[in-house]
Amino acid sequence: MTDKKTEVKTVWLANKTQRPIHIMQRGKDADGNALDNIRLSTMGAVEVSEETLNLSGVAQLIKKKALVKVTEAQAKRLNKAHDTVVSQSDEPEDDNDHVDNEED
């Protein structure tokens, strides 16, 4: 007997809102593994199973164009742009407003 894993078809979803989106998935996939929750940051994209598109909340967000399907290449560009923005916000701020109180 061979151990066959069900091939899961995937799609890329991008978040087009100004807020992160969290998709809670309950249940198990075809192989009996627990489904992971999905987090989509602003400007970010994630790869999800096609079954995720059938969740009522996800379908609603796609209909409202808050979530859109993108190609893998588009997803990589979005994630690269997101990472650039996030890494810039980690840099220390320039303290030009600092005033020394030295007495002459």
Side-chain angles (χ1 to χ4, degrees):
M1 183 181 216
T2 60
D3 182 28
K4 288 188 178 180
K5 285 221 170 199
T6 306
E7 186 174 326
V8 177
K9 292 184 181 181
T10 60
V11 295
W12 286 88
L13 287 179
N15 180 357
K16 293 297 187 177
T17 69
Q18 295 298 315
R19 298 179 183 187
I21 295 174
H22 184 213
I23 302 167
M24 292 184 64
Q25 299 190 100
R26 297 196 172 114
K28 299 185 184 240
D29 64 15
D31 294 323
N33 301 315
L35 296 172
D36 292 329
N37 291 334
I38 300 166
R39 292 169 191 84
L40 282 132
S41 57
T42 302
M43 293 175 46
V46 294
E47 188 175 22
V48 300
S49 71
E50 278 189 339
E51 294 172 359
T52 302
L53 302 178
N54 297 327
L55 296 172
S56 62
V58 173
Q60 252 183 337
L61 290 170
I62 290 172
K63 187 175 180 180
K64 290 181 178 182
K65 298 191 189 297
L67 288 177
V68 293
K69 288 191 265 183
V70 294
T71 65
E72 184 176 359
Q74 290 170 319
K76 286 182 180 180
R77 281 193 299 275
L78 286 168
N79 287 335
K80 185 176 180 180
H82 176 263
D83 291 344
T84 300
V85 169
V86 170
S87 67
Q88 288 175 352
S89 66
D90 288 343
E91 293 177 7
E93 292 182 23
D94 191 328
D95 195 9
N96 288 335
D97 295 333
H98 179 72
V99 177
D100 266 340
N101 289 328
E102 276 187 35
E103 294 183 24
D104 289 326

